Coordinates of all heavy atoms in Angstrom, one line a residue:
G201 N -6.2 -16.1 5.7 CA -6.1 -17.2 6.6 C -6.4 -16.7 8.1 O -6.8 -17.5 9.0
V202 N -6.1 -15.4 8.3 CA -6.4 -14.9 9.7 C -7.9 -15.1 10.0 O -8.2 -15.4 11.2 CB -6.1 -13.3 9.7 CG1 -6.6 -12.7 11.0 CG2 -4.6 -13.1 9.6
D203 N -8.8 -14.9 9.1 CA -10.2 -14.9 9.3 C -10.7 -16.3 9.6 O -11.8 -16.5 10.1 CB -11.0 -14.3 8.2 CG -10.6 -12.8 8.0 OD1 -10.4 -12.2 9.0 OD2 -10.6 -12.3 6.8
V204 N -10.0 -17.3 9.0 CA -10.6 -18.7 9.1 C -9.7 -19.6 10.0 O -10.0 -20.8 10.1 CB -10.8 -19.3 7.7 CG1 -11.7 -18.5 6.8 CG2 -9.4 -19.3 7.0
W205 N -8.6 -19.1 10.5 CA -7.7 -20.0 11.2 C -8.3 -20.7 12.4 O -8.2 -21.9 12.6 CB -6.5 -19.1 11.7 CG -5.5 -20.0 12.3 CD1 -4.5 -20.7 11.6 CD2 -5.1 -20.3 13.6 NE1 -3.6 -21.3 12.4 CE2 -4.0 -21.1 13.7 CE3 -5.7 -19.8 14.8 CZ2 -3.4 -21.5 14.9 CZ3 -5.2 -20.2 16.1 CH2 -4.0 -21.1 16.1
D206 N -9.2 -20.0 13.1 CA -9.8 -20.6 14.3 C -10.6 -21.9 14.0 O -10.6 -22.9 14.7 CB -10.7 -19.6 15.0 CG -9.9 -18.6 15.9 OD1 -8.7 -18.9 16.1 OD2 -10.4 -17.6 16.2
E207 N -11.3 -21.8 12.8 CA -12.2 -22.9 12.4 C -11.5 -23.9 11.5 O -12.1 -25.0 11.2 CB -13.4 -22.4 11.7 CG -13.1 -21.6 10.4 CD -14.4 -20.9 9.8 OE1 -15.2 -21.6 9.2 OE2 -14.5 -19.8 10.1
M208 N -10.3 -23.7 11.0 CA -9.6 -24.5 10.1 C -8.3 -25.2 10.6 O -8.0 -26.2 10.0 CB -9.3 -23.7 8.8 CG -10.6 -23.5 7.9 SD -10.2 -22.7 6.3 CE -9.0 -23.9 5.7
H209 N -7.7 -24.6 11.6 CA -6.4 -25.2 11.9 C -6.7 -26.5 12.7 O -7.6 -26.6 13.4 CB -5.5 -24.3 12.7 CG -5.9 -24.1 14.1 ND1 -5.4 -24.9 15.2 CD2 -6.8 -23.2 14.7 CE1 -6.0 -24.5 16.3 NE2 -6.9 -23.5 16.1
P210 N -5.8 -27.6 12.5 CA -6.1 -28.8 13.0 C -6.2 -28.8 14.6 O -5.5 -28.0 15.2 CB -4.9 -29.7 12.6 CG -4.4 -29.0 11.3 CD -4.7 -27.6 11.5
T211 N -7.1 -29.6 15.1 CA -7.2 -29.7 16.6 C -6.0 -30.4 17.2 O -5.1 -30.9 16.5 CB -8.5 -30.6 16.9 OG1 -8.2 -31.9 16.5 CG2 -9.7 -30.0 16.3
A212 N -5.9 -30.3 18.5 CA -4.7 -30.9 19.2 C -4.7 -32.4 18.8 O -3.5 -33.0 18.6 CB -4.9 -30.7 20.7
E213 N -5.8 -33.1 18.8 CA -5.8 -34.5 18.5 C -5.3 -34.7 17.1 O -4.6 -35.7 16.8 CB -7.2 -35.1 18.7 CG -7.3 -36.6 18.4 CD -8.7 -37.1 18.6 OE1 -9.6 -36.3 19.0 OE2 -8.9 -38.4 18.5
Q214 N -5.8 -33.9 16.2 CA -5.4 -34.0 14.8 C -3.9 -33.7 14.6 O -3.2 -34.3 13.7 CB -6.2 -33.1 13.9 CG -7.6 -33.5 13.7 CD -8.5 -32.6 13.0 OE1 -8.2 -31.3 13.0 NE2 -9.5 -33.0 12.3
Q215 N -3.4 -32.8 15.4 CA -1.9 -32.5 15.3 C -1.1 -33.8 15.7 O -0.2 -34.1 15.0 CB -1.6 -31.4 16.3 CG -2.2 -30.1 16.0 CD -1.3 -29.2 15.1 OE1 -0.3 -29.7 14.5 NE2 -1.6 -27.9 15.1
R216 N -1.5 -34.5 16.7 CA -0.9 -35.7 17.1 C -1.0 -36.8 16.0 O 0.0 -37.5 15.7 CB -1.5 -36.3 18.4 CG -1.0 -37.6 18.8 CD 0.4 -37.7 19.0 NE 0.8 -37.3 20.4 CZ 1.9 -37.6 21.0 NH1 2.9 -38.2 20.4 NH2 2.2 -37.1 22.2
D217 N -2.2 -36.9 15.4 CA -2.3 -37.8 14.3 C -1.4 -37.5 13.0 O -0.8 -38.3 12.5 CB -3.8 -37.8 13.8 CG -4.7 -38.5 14.8 OD1 -4.3 -39.1 15.8 OD2 -5.9 -38.2 14.8
L218 N -1.4 -36.2 12.8 CA -0.5 -35.7 11.7 C 1.0 -36.1 12.0 O 1.7 -36.5 11.1 CB -0.7 -34.2 11.5 CG 0.3 -33.5 10.6 CD1 0.2 -34.1 9.2 CD2 0.1 -32.0 10.6
Y219 N 1.4 -35.8 13.2 CA 2.7 -36.0 13.6 C 3.1 -37.5 13.4 O 4.1 -37.9 12.8 CB 3.0 -35.7 15.1 CG 4.3 -36.1 15.7 CD1 5.5 -35.5 15.3 CD2 4.3 -37.2 16.6 CE1 6.7 -35.9 15.9 CE2 5.5 -37.6 17.1 CZ 6.7 -36.9 16.8 OH 7.9 -37.3 17.4
N220 N 2.2 -38.4 13.9 CA 2.4 -39.9 13.7 C 2.4 -40.3 12.2 O 3.2 -41.1 11.9 CB 1.3 -40.6 14.5 CG 1.4 -40.5 15.9 OD1 2.5 -40.3 16.6 ND2 0.3 -40.7 16.7
W221 N 1.6 -39.7 11.4 CA 1.5 -40.0 10.0 C 2.8 -39.5 9.4 O 3.4 -40.2 8.5 CB 0.3 -39.2 9.3 CG 0.1 -39.7 7.9 CD1 -0.7 -40.7 7.6 CD2 0.6 -39.1 6.8 NE1 -0.8 -40.8 6.2 CE2 0.1 -39.9 5.7 CE3 1.5 -38.1 6.5 CZ2 0.4 -39.6 4.3 CZ3 1.7 -37.8 5.2 CH2 1.2 -38.5 4.1
L222 N 3.3 -38.4 9.8 CA 4.6 -37.9 9.2 C 5.8 -38.7 9.6 O 6.8 -38.9 8.8 CB 4.8 -36.4 9.6 CG 3.9 -35.4 8.9 CD1 4.1 -34.0 9.5 CD2 4.2 -35.4 7.4
L223 N 5.8 -39.3 10.9 CA 6.8 -40.1 11.3 C 6.9 -41.4 10.4 O 7.9 -41.9 10.1 CB 6.6 -40.6 12.7 CG 7.1 -39.6 13.8 CD1 6.7 -40.1 15.2 CD2 8.5 -39.2 13.6
R224 N 5.7 -41.8 10.0 CA 5.5 -43.1 9.2 C 5.9 -42.8 7.7 O 6.5 -43.7 7.0 CB 4.2 -43.7 9.4 CG 3.9 -45.0 8.7 CD 2.6 -45.6 9.0 NE 1.5 -44.8 8.4 CZ 0.6 -44.1 9.0 NH1 0.7 -43.9 10.4 NH2 -0.3 -43.4 8.4
E225 N 5.4 -41.7 7.2 CA 5.5 -41.4 5.7 C 6.4 -40.3 5.4 O 6.6 -40.1 4.2 CB 4.1 -41.1 5.2 CG 3.0 -42.1 5.5 CD 3.1 -43.4 4.7 OE1 3.9 -43.4 3.7 OE2 2.4 -44.3 5.0
G226 N 6.9 -39.6 6.3 CA 7.6 -38.3 6.1 C 8.8 -38.4 5.1 O 9.0 -37.4 4.4
E227 N 9.5 -39.4 5.0 CA 10.6 -39.5 4.1 C 10.1 -39.5 2.7 O 10.9 -39.2 1.7 CB 11.5 -40.8 4.3 CG 12.2 -40.9 5.7 CD 13.3 -39.9 5.8 OE1 13.7 -39.3 4.7 OE2 13.7 -39.5 6.9
K228 N 8.9 -39.8 2.4 CA 8.3 -39.8 1.0 C 7.5 -38.6 0.8 O 6.8 -38.5 -0.2 CB 7.5 -41.1 0.8 CG 8.2 -42.4 1.2 CD 7.3 -43.5 1.2 CE 7.6 -44.5 2.3 NZ 6.6 -45.6 2.4
V229 N 7.4 -37.7 1.7 CA 6.5 -36.5 1.7 C 7.4 -35.3 1.9 O 8.2 -35.2 2.8 CB 5.3 -36.6 2.7 CG1 4.5 -35.4 2.7 CG2 4.5 -37.8 2.4
L230 N 7.1 -34.3 1.1 CA 7.8 -33.0 1.3 C 7.1 -32.1 2.3 O 5.8 -31.9 2.2 CB 8.0 -32.2 -0.1 CG 8.7 -33.0 -1.2 CD1 8.7 -32.2 -2.4 CD2 10.1 -33.3 -0.7
T231 N 7.8 -31.5 3.2 CA 7.2 -30.6 4.2 C 7.9 -29.3 4.4 O 7.4 -28.4 5.0 CB 7.0 -31.2 5.6 OG1 8.4 -31.6 6.1 CG2 6.1 -32.5 5.5
G232 N 9.2 -29.1 3.9 CA 9.9 -28.0 4.1 C 10.2 -27.7 5.6 O 10.6 -28.6 6.4
D233 N 9.8 -26.5 6.1 CA 9.9 -26.2 7.5 C 8.5 -26.1 8.1 O 8.4 -25.4 9.1 CB 10.7 -24.9 7.7 CG 10.1 -23.7 7.2 OD1 9.1 -23.8 6.5 OD2 10.6 -22.6 7.4
S234 N 7.5 -26.7 7.5 CA 6.1 -26.4 7.9 C 5.7 -26.9 9.3 O 4.9 -26.3 10.0 CB 5.1 -27.0 6.9 OG 5.0 -26.2 5.8
F235 N 6.3 -28.1 9.7 CA 5.8 -28.7 10.9 C 6.9 -28.9 11.9 O 6.7 -29.8 12.8 CB 5.1 -30.1 10.5 CG 4.1 -29.9 9.5 CD1 4.3 -30.3 8.1 CD2 2.8 -29.4 9.8 CE1 3.3 -30.2 7.2 CE2 1.8 -29.2 8.9 CZ 2.1 -29.6 7.6
F236 N 7.9 -28.1 12.0 CA 8.9 -28.3 13.1 C 8.4 -28.0 14.4 O 8.9 -28.5 15.4 CB 10.1 -27.4 12.8 CG 9.9 -25.9 12.9 CD1 10.1 -25.3 14.1 CD2 9.5 -25.2 11.8 CE1 10.0 -23.9 14.2 CE2 9.3 -23.7 11.9 CZ 9.6 -23.1 13.1
H237 N 7.2 -27.4 14.5 CA 6.6 -27.2 15.9 C 6.2 -28.4 16.4 O 6.0 -28.6 17.7 CB 5.5 -26.2 15.8 CG 4.3 -26.7 15.1 ND1 4.3 -26.9 13.7 CD2 3.0 -27.0 15.5 CE1 3.0 -27.3 13.3 NE2 2.3 -27.3 14.4
L238 N 5.9 -29.5 15.6 CA 5.4 -30.8 16.1 C 6.5 -31.6 16.6 O 6.3 -32.7 17.3 CB 4.8 -31.6 14.9 CG 3.5 -31.0 14.3 CD1 3.0 -31.9 13.1 CD2 2.4 -30.8 15.3
A239 N 7.8 -31.2 16.4 CA 8.9 -32.0 16.9 C 8.9 -32.1 18.5 O 9.6 -32.9 19.0 CB 10.3 -31.4 16.4
A240 N 8.2 -31.1 19.1 CA 8.1 -31.2 20.5 C 7.4 -32.4 21.1 O 7.5 -32.7 22.3 CB 7.3 -29.9 21.0
F241 N 6.7 -33.1 20.2 CA 6.1 -34.4 20.6 C 7.2 -35.4 21.0 O 7.0 -36.4 21.7 CB 5.3 -35.0 19.5 CG 3.8 -34.4 19.4 CD1 3.3 -33.9 18.3 CD2 3.0 -34.5 20.6 CE1 2.0 -33.4 18.2 CE2 1.8 -33.9 20.5 CZ 1.2 -33.5 19.4
G242 N 8.4 -35.3 20.3 CA 9.4 -36.2 20.6 C 10.5 -36.3 19.5 O 11.3 -35.5 19.4

Side-chain angles (χ1 to χ4, degrees):
V202 170
D203 298 326
V204 298
W205 189 79
D206 284 341
E207 62 189 275
M208 284 184 59
H209 76 91
T211 64
E213 182 179 359
Q214 289 175 331
Q215 295 267 21
R216 169 66 83 168
D217 291 341
L218 171 61
Y219 172 74
N220 291 335
W221 191 89
L222 288 171
L223 281 181
R224 186 175 69 251
E225 305 285 348
E227 293 294 343
K228 308 169 216 172
V229 175
L230 300 177
T231 59
D233 64 353
S234 280
F235 301 106
F236 67 92
H237 69 294
L238 298 181
F241 277 127

